[in-house]
Amino acid sequence: MDKAWTFSIDEILNEFDVTQKEGLSKAEVKKRRKIYGSNRLKESKSRSAWDILLDQFESLIMVLLAIAAVLSFAFGETIQGAAIIAVILLTAMIGFFTEIKAIRSMEALRKLSKVTAVVRRNGESSQIAASELVPGDIVILDSGDVVTADLRLIEANKLQADESALTGESVPVSKSTKTLDGDIPLAERKNMLFKGTAVTRGSGAGVVIDTAMETELGKISALVEEAEEETTPIEKRLNRLGNKLIWVTIGIAALVSVIGILNDRDALLMIETGIALAVAAIPEGLPIVATIALARGMMRMAKRNALVNRLASVETLGATNVILSDKTGTLTQNKMTVTEIVLHHSKIEITKSESGETAVFRKQDNQFDPHKDRALIRALKIGVLCSNASLQNGNGDTEEDEKAIGDPMETALLVAGKDVNLVRDQLLQEMPEQREVAFDPKTKMMATYHEQDESYYVAVKGAPETVIEHCTSILTENGETDFNADEKQRWNEINTKMAEDGLRLLAVADRNVKSKDDEPYSGLTFIGLLGLLDPPLEAVKESIETCQTAGIVVKMVTGDQSITATNVAAAVNLISDKNDPKVIRGADLRPANEVSEDENNEILDTHIFARVDPAQKLDIISLHQSAGSIVAMTGDGVNDAPALKKADIGIAMGKRGTQVAQEAADMILKDDAFSTIITAIQYGRTIFKNIRKFVLFLLSGNVGEVLSVGLASFMNLPLPLKPLHILFINLLLDVFPAMALGVNKGSPDVLRQPPRDPKESILTTRHWLIIAGYGALIGIAILGSLWIGLNVLKLETKSAVTMSFLTLGFSRLFHVFNMRDSKSHFFRNEVMTNPFVWGAVGLCTVMLLAAVYLPGLNTILETVKLDSRQWAVIMGMSLMPLVIGQLVK
């Protein structure tokens, strides 16, 4: 719709033939969907199978192989040239099928996170997929929501939106329903909300004006080409490693070829051998196996309720050593229930009946009828009215919690009100809401105005200390009396005592005013305190103990009171003594640029941060990052979004998290469970270790090949390996066992070790020494087998070379078992228990035997059948690197 901001609310509603209270009917929605289609932007075209296939031929490795094939054909070696082409095609197809599976798996993962919207249809509010919105829909908005279509606002309660994605304006924009005139810039359309922006504060409602590609975001996306997919840090490291190895090995291969030619060897043979050596020394399977390892890790995490948005996050998880955790829903059950109400004259406990279907109200352990206590009804009435939550189908039972829309504390108040027959919809019919003063993090209160006869009833709820401060009177058994300083001090002490018992607290107050424009927070009457219980999660205790063993420091960063935070921290073993906790309150945190070194150290040593605001969370994260830590941060609200982006790993809640938080996060917990974070870290550590293991495996085997051929050339011995031997072994051993190592489940001990240094290379000096040692053992085994065949068994060269070829194959195959952790048991470790490893060993064994006994293949590879003595030598020499490797371990 053009210039929707110039239409009044009534004109907009008439234009789209919709009423504010009823919304569209189901029949009308169906009709409009046929006209306008789904509310989806055109998705970027996924990589086609053809593009993925072509990518397999773009590496320097393939160029070297192609050169070898061309040289073979040029010199009349037709079989050898055809074999090299076969290797090229097989390598490409393996890369193609593994990569396309990984890419399609990641595309499927992205579809798991669906954006939703709350709409009013047929007079009822319901949550639907954003793609189902049609022009004319009435959309209900709250702080933290992502705007899913272009809207003309018809309600705006202290509403602000972050429109930086469209306008570049970093400061949130205040919104209103006021009609605007003429052609005005996008950034000045105050009565509009746009698809892709986010509500940062307040609440409201709007009529859908445009959907899909007709939105402002859709118009922009039509002009923007898709950005290139970012290379992950692990891929960059592997690429750098591969590029270095290419030039080093080309030099070695050239040197071997020149020495061979100077020793009167066949020039073509030496050139082909040199190229084959260069190819053999470079682990071309690295990018493929790395992608498989990371993608499979993402899929495994998804099955365990951790949805990873970015591939690079999988690697970063393994280095995480500090977790800054929210309290509610992460360390606790997030099942808020009103369990205690303290009024001036009584303390009331609320429990469930044995059947769990009804609430039981008790005073001094005696059950009573709550309807006879007017102060109690007044307190619960405020909780029901002063709310943005709703209960689907009017059912607030525990089994129906998932159908509740809104903040868990507010839905708990609705459930408590329903227990005394105070239903929000019915109350609003009697006392229509005329104004809302949205919750403000600065005032820590919210208020709603309700029409009542010729005046307005103001319902207020908020943080106890703030509400108490703003009250001038208090409700007692004898009516309203003065709320003096001594009485306020007594109530603050009651608040503190209840918080020590682990309760989440709200204070409720009210007043009557003549105009809805009157100030909400002056002259209030204090009614009482509502205590809500959110029990700690039992599983968190074990998870935190696991973190402590794994060298991961867990800290609580919450907006709740310090006493409540301390109580929960002690319950989950985050701290050892709740009577002497180390807590820093937000009020005591100074801006980062004003903090001394001693204060920095104190912050780094503190495990509980209470009553902190979003800016302070950023400072806490920055300080830990400056100290060299890799920080994971959990959050669920729109105020958490900056911190989630700032952290190395931002973790949003999937059940209760706002869409803004989920968009900003690197990982989403579908079950909101802290234990899922630990599982994800375990997978992250395992994946990095797997990548390191298959790099060690590939390079040490390839070094053995280079050493054996190089030394044979220097010593003027027959070459122990022909070019096709090297290519055949390379095809088998650089793919199947390496892939099997890449999907190791990992050892449970991975969480009994400290996190790795995030700056640490894939291969340290120690690892290069290990590669050199294993490579030397494999090279000696190959040459030893050749020497025994020639000098002890007195075989002809073809038979001896067959022995050295098979020794290379089996020694590298057995070498996979050297990749177990040094502290693990030989028979009970992550390699031995990996079924993929045994599958790879079985497949490669069959192929190695086929290389000798399968007619046609043995002709191409120029191998001959062997007797028992020769096989004994092969097995003995092949087992040598494994035996020595195990003895060293």
Side-chain angles (χ1 to χ4, degrees):
M1 181 181 181
D2 293 332
K3 298 185 180 181
W5 58 91
T6 63
F7 289 73
S8 68
I9 292 176
D10 289 338
E11 288 172 333
I12 283 289
L13 294 172
N14 290 334
E15 183 73 19
F16 286 94
D17 192 20
V18 65
T19 62
Q20 184 172 346
K21 290 186 177 180
E22 291 296 318
L24 295 174
S25 65
K26 291 182 180 179
E28 185 63 24
V29 168
K30 191 175 181 181
K31 185 193 302 182
R32 295 189 186 192
R33 190 170 294 127
K34 288 181 180 178
I35 298 172
Y36 299 105
S38 294
N39 178 33
R40 286 195 181 99
L41 296 179
K42 287 183 180 177
E43 295 182 359
S44 57
K45 191 176 180 181
S46 61
R47 288 177 64 193
S48 67
W50 179 250
D51 288 336
I52 296 170
L53 179 61
L54 289 179
D55 286 347
Q56 309 306 315
F57 298 95
E58 292 181 355
S59 69
L60 184 56
I61 303 300
M62 291 299 193
V63 174
L64 291 173
L65 284 170
I67 292 172
V70 170
L71 287 173
S72 298
F73 285 120
F75 286 89
E77 296 288 343
T78 306
I79 294 178
Q80 185 166 286
I84 295 174
I85 289 176
V87 169
I88 292 174
L89 293 176
L90 282 171
T91 303
M93 293 311 294
I94 291 170
F96 168 74
F97 284 115
T98 52
E99 189 171 349
I100 197 170
K101 184 177 180 182
I103 289 172
R104 297 297 182 254
S105 295
M106 284 184 276
E107 288 173 354
L109 276 176
R110 293 189 188 107
K111 293 177 182 178
L112 291 178
S113 182
K114 294 181 179 178
V115 180
T116 59
V118 177
V119 298
R120 188 176 294 138
R121 289 177 178 171
N122 292 326
E124 293 184 355
S125 296
S126 59
Q127 198 169 54
I128 65 168
S131 59
E132 296 178 10
L133 287 174
V134 296
D137 259 327
I138 304 295
V139 177
I140 313 301
L141 299 155
D142 203 353
S143 177
D145 287 346
V146 170
V147 183
T148 51
D150 284 4
L151 309 175
R152 167 62 164 94
L153 288 169
I154 56 176
E155 292 179 22
N157 303 306
K158 218 167 187 177
L159 190 66
Q160 288 187 343
D162 177 3
E163 297 183 342
S164 57
L166 285 177
T167 65
E169 177 62 55
S170 57
V171 179
V173 180
S174 295
K175 295 291 182 177
S176 71
T177 60
K178 185 179 178 182
T179 305
L180 304 173
D181 296 325
D183 291 321
I184 56 176
L186 186 71
E188 296 178 14
R189 298 171 193 170
K190 305 294 187 183
N191 59 9
M192 298 283 294
L193 284 176
F194 304 102
K195 183 177 176 69
T197 62
V199 178
T200 58
R201 182 181 175 186
S203 61
V207 180
V208 175
I209 303 301
D210 289 305
T211 58
M213 297 304 290
E214 295 300 315
T215 62
E216 295 295 332
L217 182 64
K219 293 170 185 175
I220 293 173
S221 67
L223 303 174
V224 181
E225 292 183 0
E226 183 186 4
E228 275 189 37
E229 188 175 351
E230 184 180 354
T231 305
T232 65
I234 193 71
E235 289 173 329
K236 290 177 182 176
R237 291 180 188 175
L238 292 173
N239 289 339
R240 284 197 298 268
L241 176 63
N243 289 335
K244 289 178 183 177
L245 288 172
I246 284 173
W247 297 112
V248 171
T249 51
I250 285 176
I252 293 172
L255 182 63
V256 169
S257 299
V258 170
I259 291 173
I261 292 170
L262 292 176
N263 285 333
D264 295 326
R265 296 181 185 273
D266 181 74
L268 175 62
L269 176 64
M270 293 313 301
I271 290 171
E272 291 174 345
T273 301
I275 293 173
L277 271 179
V279 175
I282 301 164
E284 66 268 30
L286 277 184
I288 296 170
V289 181
T291 301
I292 293 170
L294 291 169
R296 188 170 186 271
M298 289 178 73
M299 293 301 293
R300 288 181 68 197
M301 289 181 191
K303 290 178 181 177
R304 295 293 298 272
N305 295 315
L307 177 60
V308 180
N309 289 338
R310 299 172 179 88
L311 196 63
S313 304
V314 178
E315 178 200 359
T316 310
L317 274 166
T320 299
N321 54 9
V322 173
I323 299 176
L324 302 179
S325 176
D326 189 15
K327 176 179 71 68
T328 306
T330 308
L331 303 179
T332 61
Q333 294 180 17
N334 195 31
K335 291 183 178 178
M336 281 291 182
T337 306
V338 179
T339 59
E340 195 171 301
I341 298 177
V342 179
L343 306 168
H344 181 271
H345 59 281
S346 62
K347 175 181 176 182
I348 299 165
E349 295 179 351
I350 307 173
T351 59
K352 285 288 184 182
S353 62
E354 291 185 6
S355 65
E357 294 179 359
T358 58
V360 176
F361 291 77
R362 286 187 172 88
K363 288 181 185 179
Q364 299 178 342
D365 293 332
N366 296 317
Q367 187 172 342
F368 75 103
D369 182 357
H371 297 92
K372 294 181 178 180
D373 192 321
R374 292 183 179 181
L376 170 63
I377 297 298
R378 188 164 161 181
L380 291 175
K381 181 179 179 179
I382 294 170
V384 173
L385 288 174
C386 190
S387 174
N388 283 315
S390 64
L391 296 175
Q392 292 290 325
N393 303 321
N395 196 330
D397 295 341
T398 302
E399 293 78 5
E400 300 294 329
D401 280 348
E402 291 184 1
K403 293 186 179 180
I405 298 175
D407 181 85
M409 291 184 69
E410 291 194 339
T411 56
L413 295 178
L414 296 186
V415 172
K418 185 174 176 292
D419 289 333
V420 293
N421 299 322
L422 292 174
V423 179
R424 179 172 167 77
D425 290 343
Q426 294 174 6
L427 283 177
L428 290 178
Q429 287 179 3
E430 300 170 10
M431 307 170 63
E433 184 177 317
Q434 298 298 323
R435 178 188 171 194
E436 176 188 322
V437 180
F439 178 82
D440 189 332
K442 292 181 180 178
T443 63
K444 297 185 175 64
M445 293 185 290
M446 78 168 286
T448 53
Y449 288 67
H450 301 270
E451 190 174 352
Q452 183 177 262
D453 298 328
E454 295 181 359
S455 64
Y456 294 90
Y457 178 73
V458 183
V460 176
K461 76 174 192 300
E465 61 270 28
T466 308
V467 174
I468 290 171
E469 180 186 343
H470 285 77
C471 289
T472 57
S473 62
I474 182 172
L475 180 66
T476 69
E477 286 181 293
N478 301 318
E480 297 177 10
T481 61
D482 181 55
F483 200 23
N484 58 41
D486 290 341
E487 187 71 358
K488 288 184 178 182
Q489 176 62 30
R490 186 177 76 84
W491 277 98
N492 279 320
E493 290 173 359
I494 294 172
N495 170 48
T496 301
K497 179 64 175 67
M498 293 175 72
E500 287 174 351
D501 293 334
L503 294 174
R504 187 86 176 263
L505 293 159
L506 284 173
V508 288
D510 61 12
R511 70 179 297 210
N512 287 286
V513 295
K514 292 183 178 180
S515 170
K516 64 180 180 180
D517 296 321
D518 287 354
E519 163 63 35
Y521 302 133
S522 63
L524 291 172
T525 298
F526 182 77
I527 308 301
L529 296 176
L530 308 181
L532 299 96
L533 184 63
D534 183 13
L537 287 162
E538 284 298 320
V540 171
K541 290 183 182 179
E542 184 179 348
S543 297
I544 288 178
E545 289 173 4
T546 302
C547 283
Q548 292 165 349
T549 304
I552 302 169
V553 179
V554 181
K555 303 188 176 191
M556 182 193 294
V557 183
T558 179
D560 208 341
Q561 298 183 84
S562 56
I563 296 175
T564 305
T566 300
N567 192 286
V568 173
V572 297
N573 293 339
L574 187 64
I575 56 174
S576 56
D577 185 4
K578 76 172 184 179
N579 295 318
D580 187 26
K582 196 169 187 178
V583 184
I584 295 181
R585 296 176 72 252
D588 300 324
L589 280 172
R590 294 195 295 156
N593 58 351
E594 300 177 10
V595 178
S596 67
E597 186 175 345
D598 288 341
E599 287 174 315
N600 280 342
N601 291 333
E602 183 182 358
I603 293 171
L604 291 172
D605 290 338
T606 299
H607 284 71
I608 303 174
F609 298 88
R611 283 288 196 249
V612 295
D613 61 34
Q616 291 169 335
K617 289 182 181 180
L618 292 177
D619 288 341
I620 294 169
I621 293 171
S622 296
L623 179 60
H624 283 86
Q625 289 174 331
S626 299
S629 296
I630 299 296
V631 181
M633 175 80 199
T634 72
D636 59 357
V638 64
N639 288 339
D640 294 322
L644 293 174
K645 273 195 171 183
K646 174 69 177 173
D648 298 285
I649 294 289
I651 304 170
M653 303 300 119
K655 286 184 176 180
R656 63 186 171 85
T658 60
Q659 292 172 13
V660 172
Q662 292 174 5
E663 293 272 339
D666 302 291
M667 186 169 78
I668 299 171
L669 303 183
K670 292 188 287 183
D671 58 358
D672 289 10
F674 185 85
S675 57
T676 303
I677 302 173
I678 311 306
T679 302
I681 289 175
Q682 179 181 354
Y683 285 155
R685 289 189 179 188
T686 298
I687 287 166
F688 187 86
K689 290 188 73 172
N690 287 346
I691 291 173
R692 176 172 277 170
K693 282 177 182 177
F694 70 65
V695 171
L696 282 171
F697 172 75
L698 295 182
L699 291 185
S700 53
N702 293 351
V703 165
E705 295 174 12
V706 173
L707 281 177
S708 63
V709 176
L711 288 174
S713 297
F714 279 113
M715 298 166 63
N716 204 21
L717 292 172
L719 291 180
L721 303 167
K722 294 182 179 295
L724 282 181
H725 292 167
I726 295 172
L727 294 169
F728 182 81
I729 294 297
N730 207 43
L731 179 64
L732 285 181
L733 278 302
D734 277 12
V735 176
F736 299 109
M739 284 173 60
L741 287 173
V743 296
N744 263 339
K745 288 186 177 179
S747 167
D749 292 338
V750 75
L751 288 178
R752 297 192 184 100
Q753 301 163 8
R756 65 177 173 82
D757 185 343
K759 297 179 182 178
E760 184 178 280
S761 301
I762 294 176
L763 298 178
T764 63
T765 302
R766 172 176 163 271
H767 295 117
W768 282 112
L769 292 174
I770 291 172
I771 288 169
Y774 279 134
L777 288 174
I778 292 171
I780 290 169
I782 295 167
L783 289 176
S785 186
L786 177 69
W787 187 86
I788 292 172
L790 292 172
N791 298 288
V792 177
L793 301 180
K794 305 297 183 183
L795 302 174
E796 59 180 17
T797 301
K798 194 171 185 178
S799 295
V801 170
T802 300
M803 288 176 61
S804 57
F805 159 66
L806 290 172
T807 300
L808 166 64
F810 282 106
S811 63
R812 287 197 61 183
L813 194 56
F814 298 151
H815 178 47
V816 73
F817 297 108
N818 279 329
M819 295 300 105
R820 69 177 176 89
D821 288 340
S822 57
K823 295 180 180 179
S824 62
H825 191 278
F826 177 70
F827 292 107
R828 295 189 300 275
N829 59 70
E830 71 278 11
V831 179
M832 276 285 195
T833 57
N834 184 345
F836 295 105
V837 167
W838 288 104
V841 168
L843 175 63
C844 292
T845 298
V846 171
M847 292 302 294
L848 286 171
L849 293 175
V852 177
Y853 295 106
L854 184 64
L857 182 58
N858 56 14
T859 303
I860 293 171
L861 294 174
E862 298 182 37
T863 57
V864 296
K865 295 179 181 179
L866 305 174
D867 61 27
S868 58
R869 291 187 308 155
Q870 294 162 340
W871 273 110
V873 172
I874 291 168
M875 288 296 106
M877 299 306 294
S878 297
L879 286 167
M880 183 187 72
L882 175 62
V883 172
I884 294 176
Q886 294 307 308
L887 289 173
V888 170
K889 284 183 183 291

